[in-house]
Amino acid sequence: MNNAIWRIDTDYLAAYTEDSGIMARIRRYYPDIEPIARYYRDGKRIAIQYRVPNRRKRSMRRILGVDVALE
């Protein structure tokens, strides 16, 4: 599965995941993280991109398994 995180601006990061388990955890436990894009192939969702507040950077790095955020 592909996971990535990068900076959008000074207040927010973007997080991308193709893992449906991670998508469910974000939806369930992090109401302040909003989806900003959904990616589909043949009518089936394959990935979601999220807008993540700076205060959640550490949590997202842990959940996504990404060592370094692309800055």
Side-chain angles (χ1 to χ4, degrees), residues 37-56:
R38 290 177 176 89
Y39 300 91
Y40 294 89
R41 183 179 298 132
D42 298 326
K44 186 175 178 183
R45 186 185 68 208
I46 60 166
I48 297 182
Q49 183 176 332
Y50 297 95
R51 188 173 77 157
V52 181
N54 272 341
R55 69 180 178 274
R56 297 286 190 193

Side-chain angles (χ1 to χ4, degrees), residues 3-53:
N3 298 323
I5 196 167
W6 64 93
R7 180 153 307 283
I8 297 175
D9 58 25
T10 57
D11 297 325
Y12 290 96
L13 303 164
Y16 172 88
T17 185
E18 296 177 352
D19 187 329
S20 59
I22 292 174
M23 293 175 203
R25 284 174 55 188
I26 291 172
R27 185 175 56 248
R28 187 177 309 124
Y29 298 116
Y30 299 97
D32 57 338
I33 296 176
E34 326 173 324
I36 55 175
R38 290 177 176 89
Y39 300 91
Y40 294 89
R41 183 179 298 132
D42 298 326
K44 186 175 178 183
R45 186 185 68 208
I46 60 166
I48 297 182
Q49 183 176 332
Y50 297 95
R51 188 173 77 157
V52 181

